[in-house]
Amino acid sequence: MVGTCTAWHLRQRGHEVVLIDRGPPGQETSFGNAGLIQREAAEPYPFPRELAKIWQVATGQGFDIAWRASALPHVLPRVLAYAWHSQPERHARLARHYGALIAACITEHDTLVRSAGAQDLIDTRGYRKIFRTEAAFERAARDAERLAHTWSIDNRVESSDELARREPALKQTLAGAIHHASTWAVRDPGALVQAYAADFVAHGGQLMRAEVQALEPQAQGWRLRTSQGEVATQEVVVAQGPWSQDLLGGLGYRFPMFVKRGYHQHYDGAHGLQGPVFDAQKGYLLLPMRAGLRLTTGAELALRDAAPQPTQLAPAEACARTLVELGRPSPLAPWMGSRPCMPDMLPVMGPAPRHQGLWLNFGHGHQGFTLGPVAGRLLAEMISDQPCFLDPAPYAATRLTP
Ligand SMILES: Cc1cc2nc3c(=O)[nH]c(=O)nc-3n(C[C@H](O)[C@H](O)[C@H](O)COP(=O)(O)OP(=O)(O)OC[C@H]3O[C@@H](n4cnc5c(N)ncnc54)[C@H](O)[C@@H]3O)c2cc1C
């Protein structure tokens, strides 16, 4: 999503652009996610601060967050930095920069959706966070009202009765819901990226299917070594999602990226849901999609390339069955993807600190699908030396690597 939108915006500004991907665009992390364009996610998700929650995660109870011991040497320093950045005052400062990006997400997607003629993939009726206990519901309602006020988000608090009227297929009486009415749901996230990529090509952009193996600075510009031969260019953008550090390592950059992996599984039941539902106290989502009802899991702190361990799926599925007619799981193996996360919860967008003509656009964490068009526009404006529609300073790479 991020690379495709960057290419699209550069092409709109008259650049000759080649979008290089080892597969078709939109087939990795941006394929299997929950497909929400999250206007409501104005503040990045902080590291949990309640001792009971930390204890629950540390001892492996619950299934919204899982961690793998083999990943600890890599992940722990980054997660500790994430916890440090999650302190209330610091988080509030970072949230201002995050919220500024999120606030533009619907308008910016809308531009691309219209240009690509992809309206049939979008459901603009919002999504619901549902709550099982009164105490959690009341806390969430207070927070939703605060966020609605601060960030002009259309959050609607729905009582137990109202929720039952809006989502009559739910099999349980619940405490209530927050309806995030300004969020969009995408019925096939990979297809949306493909539509954006097709629109980029229709406007004269070029797609190249190749694995980029190395980035080599030249006296003038760059040489890319790829599985399909060499590519010479004046400027290069690295937007490889969770793989972004791989090529940058060869140029001496060490970004403290870590991944929060997640899984999905589709089900064929006559679930009857009107729209996406987040079972907030359990930590999984149910999303009506073209391919069936998609269940996505929370976060797994693991090494990106370690073998899949979809242990969060079974308990999430058991919970979901108490809420809706889930039906049979798809015979396909569960999909796995890696959210590319930075310890300070902000993406890296802007010039590389030590190389002329090298640009970075990665680390959009939990909301990379939401932020693709915003990130693409911001970077294209920087590269084109145009006034930026948002101040890019908070996202500069220099904050992480001197
Ligand atoms: C379970 C789950 C649910 C999520 N739900 C949401 C959601 O509802 N809303 C939201 O906003 N975000 C969500 N996210 C996060 C979101 O999916 C990611 O932040 C986003 O997809 C990252 O996009 P990207 O373009 O940076 O990376 P990717 O989509 O992974 O794209 C990177 C591209 O780089 C290519 N590539 C990598 N290395 C090379 C190479 N060497 N040569 C050539 N090509 C290369 C890959 O083939 C790939 O196409 C979710 C994530 C998960 C795991």
Side-chain angles (χ1 to χ4, degrees), residues 1-4 20-38 210-213 239-244 247 260-264 285 287 296-298 335-340 361-371:
M1 177 59 96
V2 175
T4 301
I20 308 178
D21 199 306
R22 61 187 169 209
Q27 293 304 297
E28 292 283 359
T29 330
S30 302
F31 167 83
N33 58 44
L36 295 175
I37 299 176
Q38 293 186 264
E211 169 96 28
V212 182
Q213 292 153 341
Q240 292 167 266
W243 295 275
S244 296
L247 289 173
K260 296 184 192 171
R261 302 200 309 187
Y263 299 84
H264 86 218
L285 272 151
L287 307 127
T296 60
T297 62
W335 172 89
M336 183 187 81
S338 298
R339 302 171 181 91
N361 208 355
F362 57 79
H364 300 79
H366 283 263
Q367 271 89 38
F369 189 72
T370 297
L371 290 176

Side-chain angles (χ1 to χ4, degrees), residues 260-271:
K260 296 184 192 171
R261 302 200 309 187
Y263 299 84
H264 86 218
Q265 179 75 272
H266 288 126
Y267 297 85
D268 69 357
H271 55 82

Side-chain angles (χ1 to χ4, degrees), residues 190-319:
L192 186 67
V193 182
Q194 288 190 340
Y196 290 175
D199 197 50
F200 158 72
V201 172
H203 285 90
Q206 230 183 296
L207 282 184
M208 178 176 172
R209 174 88 73 94
E211 169 96 28
V212 182
Q213 292 153 341
L215 305 175
E216 295 169 351
Q218 306 294 295
Q220 282 287 311
W222 289 83
R223 185 168 58 198
L224 276 57
R225 273 202 288 113
T226 85
S227 54
Q228 299 298 317
E230 291 183 354
V231 177
T233 176
Q234 273 304 311
E235 311 200 73
V236 58
V237 177
V238 171
Q240 292 167 266
W243 295 275
S244 296
Q245 172 58 42
D246 295 10
L247 289 173
L248 292 171
L251 297 168
Y253 293 104
R254 299 276 177 271
F255 286 96
M257 185 189 280
F258 65 104
V259 299
K260 296 184 192 171
R261 302 200 309 187
Y263 299 84
H264 86 218
Q265 179 75 272
H266 288 126
Y267 297 85
D268 69 357
H271 55 82
L273 284 179
Q274 299 301 303
V277 163
F278 178 47
D279 192 348
Q281 290 173 265
K282 300 292 180 185
Y284 67 92
L285 272 151
L286 291 172
L287 307 127
M289 295 237 172
R290 272 179 172 174
L293 187 65
R294 178 177 290 186
L295 184 158
T296 60
T297 62
E300 181 198 26
L301 292 167
L303 293 177
R304 183 192 67 197
D305 298 333
Q309 279 187 269
T311 53
Q312 292 155 288
L313 265 175
E317 177 183 319
C319 269

